[in-house]
Amino acid sequence: MPELPEVETVRTELEPYVTGRKITGVELFWERIVKQPSADEFRSRLVGKKITGLGRNGKYLSFQLDSGEALIFHLKMSGSLLLKAGSPDGKYVRAVIHMDGLDLYFRDPRKFGVMWLVDDIKSVTGKLGPEPLEPGFTGDVLADLLHGRKAPIKAVLCDQTVIAGIGNMYADEALFAAGIKPLRAAGSLSRKEITKLHGAIKQVLLQAIGEKGASVVNYYRPGGELGKAHFQFQVAHRRGQNCNVCGTPLKRITVRNRGTYFCPKCQH
DNA sequence: CCCGGAACCTGAAGGC
DNA sequence: TGCCTTCAGGTTCCGG
């Protein structure tokens, strides 16, 4: 499932291939993949536009166009942007962006993925919280964001309006690294715990970017390769396994309808 | 504003 | 073998 490290990997690996190219056509095999504007307008307005650069906001990937508009992608749970039609296979391709000399395939088995063509990126990403890897995201900022909240810390970490880019997997990993139980009320964390969590979030995300993302299900890099971050996971998706640190069987619970893994001994 | 649950999707996995 | 149910999860919407 693409979260910040996966989307960042797609951005850096795609950028050298698509920057400077002109869009020559758009094919849609599942029209509801276009959220805005209409499918017809989306197709016609994109033709002839040149891609000047790629950006990322949380889990949103944006292609900046020479017209000043932005083509925005959200891969949701199962989307991939691929440079080759047959990799990993030709099934589940919902859209193709044709460019001069290159085609980009939007593969998405679950059909949750979305594209927008907008004048202002902020109209899509405006409500996002701070980027956790930018200097502005300090321990004090995190403390303010968590202050007074009664929802489980796990749920708050996954709230994109609080922090941008953290999803189910990396919330579990950050909480394990910080030694905090997922069901703790966010506002109940001590300043010391918040400091630890702040460091854990950055460390977990940076390490996963270094591993080119986690290929748990349906995540492929643009060239069709898998990421390796999931091999470093301490708790996420490790159903039925034991804690690497203390050997205690990991627990699986549900928080906000999401599978949540933690070590009952290492996390307090 | 804050919180929690359903809906959107389809394939994989498990039960009988 | 095969049908049926459950699970997976990012975001949005809705109700309390």
Side-chain angles (χ1 to χ4, degrees):
Chain A
M1 305 103 214
E3 302 180 24
L4 187 155
E6 288 74 31
V7 180
E8 180 62 16
T9 300
V10 173
R11 189 190 70 76
T12 54
E13 296 193 339
L14 216 45
E15 189 158 46
Y17 288 95
V18 301
T19 301
R21 300 226 189 235
K22 188 174 279 185
I23 295 171
T24 56
V26 175
E27 280 182 280
L28 302 172
F29 308 113
W30 167 255
E31 293 204 344
R32 286 205 275 169
I33 200 169
V34 179
K35 189 85 173 279
Q36 194 195 329
S38 69
D40 283 339
E41 198 181 332
F42 181 85
R43 273 183 286 245
S44 61
R45 260 171 61 189
L46 274 175
V47 174
K49 306 278 164 70
K50 198 168 165 184
I51 298 159
T52 57
L54 267 56
R56 181 189 59 74
N57 301 87
K59 303 172 191 172
Y60 295 83
L61 177 66
S62 53
F63 286 22
Q64 289 122 21
L65 306 176
D66 60 350
S67 59
E69 296 162 295
L71 168 60
I72 305 179
F73 298 84
H74 198 301
L75 303 174
K76 293 288 178 85
M77 295 167 44
S78 62
S80 309
L81 292 174
L82 300 164
L83 291 165
K84 289 177 280 186
S87 128
D89 59 50
K91 282 170 79 179
Y92 312 122
V93 172
R94 310 302 182 194
V96 185
I97 311 287
H98 296 283
M99 290 160 280
D100 51 342
L102 188 76
D103 299 321
L104 183 65
Y105 301 83
F106 193 161
R107 178 187 193 268
D108 184 22
R110 295 279 156 87
K111 293 182 172 174
F112 276 28
V114 186
M115 294 187 281
W116 296 258
L117 176 59
V118 295
D119 294 322
D120 181 7
I121 293 177
K122 282 276 167 200
S123 67
V124 175
T125 65
K127 289 180 187 165
L128 292 177
E131 287 288 331
L133 294 181
E134 287 192 358
F137 181 68
T138 62
D140 286 340
V141 166
L142 181 59
D144 281 346
L145 290 166
L146 303 184
H147 181 76
R149 286 182 172 265
K150 291 179 178 157
I153 183 65
K154 163 73 185 279
V156 174
L157 287 181
C158 292
D159 183 339
Q160 302 302 295
T161 67
V162 177
I163 305 169
I166 300 174
N168 204 42
M169 302 183 299
Y170 295 109
D172 281 1
E173 288 300 307
L175 286 171
F176 176 83
I180 297 166
K181 277 199 163 69
L183 280 177
R184 290 273 303 282
S188 76
L189 270 58
S190 70
R191 188 59 179 78
K192 204 171 171 182
E193 288 175 316
I194 292 172
T195 301
K196 204 160 182 201
L197 181 58
H198 171 255
I201 289 169
K202 293 204 178 215
Q203 176 253 317
V204 161
L205 294 176
L206 283 172
Q207 177 173 340
I209 290 172
E211 302 282 356
K212 308 289 181 190
S215 290
V216 175
V217 242
N218 285 318
Y219 163 71
Y220 297 92
R221 291 155 54 196
E225 308 94 334
L226 301 175
K228 292 192 283 191
H230 52 296
F231 295 124
Q232 312 293 329
F233 281 175
Q234 298 296 306
V235 287
H237 292 279
R238 295 191 59 215
R239 189 194 291 254
Q241 299 184 44
N242 298 331
C243 175
N244 288 336
V245 174
C246 73
T248 304
L250 298 176
K251 272 201 162 183
R252 181 190 178 276
I253 58 173
T254 297
V255 179
R256 284 282 232 284
N257 277 329
R258 297 292 172 255
T260 298
Y261 298 83
F262 68 101
C263 173
K265 193 173 170 194
C266 295
Q267 294 173 254
H268 304 280

